[in-house]
Amino acid sequence: MEDEFYRIKRLPPYVIAEVNAMRHAARQAGKDIIDLGMGNPDLPPPAHVIDKLCEVARKEDAHGYSASSGIPGIRKAQANYYGRRFNVDLDPETEVVMTMGSKEGLASLATAITAPGDVVLAPNPSYPIHTFGFIIAGATIRSVPTTPDERYWESLNRAMAFTVPRPSILIVNYPSNPTAETVDLAFYERLVAWAKENKVWILSDLAYSELYFDGNPTRSILEVPGAKDVAVEFTSMSKTFSMAGWRVGFAVGNPKLIAALKRVKSYLDYGAFTPIQAAACAALNGPQDIVEKNRNLYQKRRDVMVEAFGRAGWDIPSPKASMFAWAPLPPALKEMGSLEFSKQLLTHAEVAVAPGVGYGEDGEGFVRIAMVENEQRLRQAARNIKRFLASKGVNTPAA
């Protein structure tokens, strides 16, 4: 027998798991770890959403198998959301499918449309499912930059000119996880034109659609006329409504890709628990004040973190969106590397962050900081970090 299974051999050790294991061990030892590593919202869902979950769960007929593609009400609710938010018309029957989070949706679509040996263009650094979902499906990954500047377009064109076989799928993710970079509608217009010219499918991950700051709303690729000819887009309720553990997401857009995703999912699952789907309808159709409340809260946390960490001696670029900051290592400690820096920060400052190298080789030299602790805890993290940097001989500004 083989020592390792074929697909397992294609998966390297998960770098971030090393820091997660250290964090768990530290907490078991009684240490007060300020966890800025995992993007796990610390806020509750709206009360009326929880009430709807309980109400439907009490019904005797609500506990059987549900609908793999989502009950009709949830698909209509998502179509209505796109109409309100982006002025995009979607057919709930052919252009919307519910997924168990955007992560599962991407992985299932990779299974549906990828053949062994296909070449997929994916950003580097990127959230792991953007690459490994397709690697598990048998594809080969060619990296393109995450930063949406002219180097990005040059990389796309080189990939089409010199890759055999020619790439057939492009992954985009803005606001980016992990880098928090954003794009405007002009970027998507250029991207749709490029995809049509090169006969490439676009899979857009818009999981952070509502976590934008400074009054600059994120845009959807489907706002571009004709985008549905080449694109699908994934969204999630995890961050928008603080429903991460509920695992509710959506894929919308191109009917051919949506049909392929539905077909594969029909073999893999029976859909999310019906009360969860009903409660998700209540979130999408009901009062939306929670969305702005969460957005304002994350923006305030961002401002506190950037200011406090800066005073501690660690300058962090202010993210325009998402729940993350993409922070370069302090210059004096850059040679340490992101993994070792993350380990030492956890050990000596009791602050957990995610090493950038865990998101691809181009993530080296950075760490991802999740704004999932309250302002008091962020200031405490800054004080701990200031002591850690001072112990390493890093000059810190006067308080």
Side-chain angles (χ1 to χ4, degrees):
M1 291 184 180
E2 292 279 347
D3 290 338
E4 258 191 307
F5 298 112
Y6 166 73
R7 285 182 173 80
I8 300 302
K9 286 191 290 187
R10 302 196 74 200
L11 299 177
Y14 194 36
V15 172
I16 298 171
E18 290 190 49
V19 179
N20 290 344
M22 289 180 62
R23 179 194 64 209
H24 177 73
R27 282 182 165 167
Q28 291 294 103
K31 292 186 177 181
D32 179 24
I33 302 300
I34 301 172
D35 188 2
L36 309 179
M38 187 175 180
N40 194 11
D42 61 322
L43 309 169
H48 73 275
V49 175
I50 297 173
D51 290 343
K52 177 59 71 172
L53 172 72
C54 296
E55 174 194 330
V56 179
R58 291 190 184 97
K59 296 181 178 180
E60 293 184 359
D61 61 352
H63 301 275
Y65 295 124
S66 192
S68 176
S69 60
I71 60 176
I74 193 70
R75 287 183 278 112
K76 290 177 183 177
Q78 179 67 355
N80 290 338
Y81 161 74
Y82 260 79
R84 294 192 310 268
R85 176 67 166 80
F86 301 113
N87 197 29
V88 170
D89 291 327
L90 292 170
D91 183 340
E93 295 300 318
T94 62
E95 296 177 335
V96 180
V97 59
M98 181 182 173
T99 63
M100 294 184 185
S102 56
K103 185 175 182 178
E104 177 273 323
L106 278 157
S108 293
L109 186 58
T111 300
I113 67 175
T114 307
D118 281 357
V119 177
V120 174
L121 302 175
N124 187 349
S126 73
Y127 188 58
I129 198 64
H130 296 152
T131 53
F132 290 106
F134 291 88
I135 288 172
I136 291 169
T140 298
I141 300 296
R142 175 159 178 154
S143 294
V144 296
T146 300
T147 300
D149 55 15
E150 282 305 312
R151 192 170 68 95
Y152 178 86
W153 300 103
E154 292 167 5
S155 180
L156 289 186
N157 290 330
R158 282 198 307 273
M160 300 311 297
F162 300 112
T163 308
V164 179
R166 282 167 61 88
S168 56
I169 298 168
L170 168 66
I171 314 299
V172 293
N173 172 216
Y174 300 105
S176 168
N177 180 5
T179 70
E181 291 169 294
T182 59
V183 295
D184 57 16
L185 192 60
F187 174 88
Y188 285 136
E189 290 170 344
R190 186 174 176 183
L191 194 65
V192 168
W194 178 89
K196 289 186 175 184
E197 179 183 350
N198 289 281
K199 297 180 172 58
V200 172
W201 295 114
I202 301 173
L203 312 186
S204 169
D205 185 353
L206 191 61
Y208 297 90
S209 61
E210 299 305 331
L211 290 187
Y212 58 82
F213 307 136
D214 307 314
N216 295 312
T218 55
R219 307 304 293 263
S220 163
I221 194 172
L222 298 182
E223 293 181 76
V224 178
K228 282 194 285 187
D229 295 340
V230 292
V232 293
E233 190 158 69
F234 293 87
T235 55
S236 168
M237 300 186 72
S238 295
K239 280 71 180 184
T240 304
F241 295 98
S242 300
M243 294 168 62
W246 298 50
R247 309 314 301 133
V248 179
F250 300 91
V252 304
N254 180 268
K256 184 175 181 179
L257 294 179
I258 295 298
L261 178 54
K262 283 183 177 181
R263 186 164 181 177
V264 163
K265 280 178 62 62
S266 71
Y267 283 91
L268 296 178
D269 68 68
Y270 286 106
F273 186 37
T274 298
I276 286 179
Q277 297 197 43
C281 287
L284 287 168
N285 294 332
Q288 298 298 296
D289 53 325
I290 185 66
V291 179
E292 184 173 1
K293 180 181 177 182
N294 283 354
R295 182 186 304 129
N296 291 337
L297 184 144
Y298 282 112
Q299 180 171 322
K300 194 169 182 183
R301 288 180 179 182
R302 176 202 65 174
D303 294 342
V304 167
M305 180 193 66
V306 169
E307 187 271 335
F309 282 33
R311 282 195 293 106
W314 188 7
D315 291 328
I316 296 174
S318 182
K320 296 178 181 179
S322 85
M323 63 193 305
F324 303 113
W326 187 237
L329 302 189
L333 303 180
K334 188 174 181 180
E335 294 303 314
M336 188 181 290
S338 63
L339 179 57
E340 182 60 27
F341 176 83
S342 299
K343 289 179 177 179
Q344 292 209 22
L345 198 67
L346 180 65
T347 301
H348 302 294
E350 298 186 344
V351 175
V353 296
V357 71
Y359 301 95
E361 60 184 88
D362 289 350
E364 184 53 273
F366 295 81
V367 295
R368 193 193 74 174
I369 303 173
M371 297 178 284
V372 292
E373 294 270 12
N374 63 40
E375 295 167 36
Q376 179 181 345
R377 296 280 281 173
L378 289 172
R379 290 190 176 97
Q380 179 62 53
R383 291 191 290 270
N384 293 2
I385 288 167
K386 184 174 183 177
R387 288 195 297 270
F388 166 68
L389 294 179
S391 73
K392 295 295 182 182
V394 177
N395 293 326
T396 57

